[in-house]
Amino acid sequence: MKISGSQTIQAPRQAVWDRLLDPDSIRSCLPGVEELNQTGENQYSMTLTVGVGPVRGSYTGSIRMSDVDEPNSYRMEVEGSGRAGFVRGNGTVRLSDDGDSATLVDYDGDVEVGGPVGAVAQRMLGGVTNRMVGDFFSCIQEQATPQS
């Protein structure tokens, strides 16, 4: 499944970049993440629980960022597996200025879901993925916005 989109975050690019690569921000903003531990430079192990329709499961996996070009872009690879199936994904995140104090975040990639979760919930995956991405960027917006 292909995913792509854009989000405008009302914060300077460096502030958004810092949140997107901060393990604490990823842990608190990515829906379902229960544990996220750094295992190397720009590499993390994770445990998350995700439900799609009637199928819910815990997954263990990894996140790896590569081709890091601060504060402009990076590639991300995600892998996870559990009793309910597996998920693999990769994509690119690009940041650009959108006015004086806003950042445009463009993302695109591919996600593969297999096993029972993939078989049962194939038609719902697009909606669930879009909701998770929206929730993630809303949380990043809150964290990156300067408090007054």
Side-chain angles (χ1 to χ4, degrees):
M1 175 178 72
K2 294 247 183 237
I3 62 166
S4 64
S6 297
Q7 298 280 332
T8 299
I9 298 179
Q10 299 301 318
R13 185 174 0 166
Q14 188 66 51
V16 174
W17 176 269
D18 291 345
R19 298 284 66 79
L20 288 174
L21 272 76
D22 176 61
D24 292 331
S25 291
I26 296 169
R27 183 182 305 108
S28 64
C29 290
L30 193 60
V33 170
E34 296 170 357
E35 239 181 86
L36 183 78
N37 299 302
Q38 191 160 6
T39 58
E41 185 176 357
N42 297 320
Q43 296 182 49
Y44 307 91
S45 65
M46 68 175 174
T47 303
L48 71 150
T49 301
V50 182
V52 179
V55 180
R56 182 166 201 74
S58 287
Y59 299 84
T60 57
S62 62
I63 298 174
R64 184 172 78 88
M65 280 85 156
S66 61
D67 300 330
V68 177
D69 176 20
E70 182 176 351
N72 303 307
S73 64
Y74 61 90
R75 271 192 74 63
M76 177 186 271
E77 295 175 31
V78 178
E79 292 187 11
S81 62
R83 291 181 57 132
F86 70 87
V87 62
R88 282 190 288 263
N90 64 74
T92 303
V93 177
R94 290 175 300 284
L95 285 72
S96 57
D97 293 330
D98 189 14
D100 288 340
S101 60
T103 302
L104 180 65
V105 180
D106 291 305
Y107 59 90
D108 62 83
D110 295 294
V111 177
E112 179 185 2
V113 179
V117 72
V120 171
Q122 195 65 40
R123 289 174 299 182
M124 294 182 263
L125 284 175
V128 170
T129 301
N130 288 335
R131 182 180 47 89
M132 289 178 72
V133 168
D135 290 349
F136 175 76
F137 282 115
S138 291
C139 179
I140 293 294
Q141 164 81 49
E142 287 178 26
Q143 291 187 6
T145 303
Q147 303 300 314
S148 33

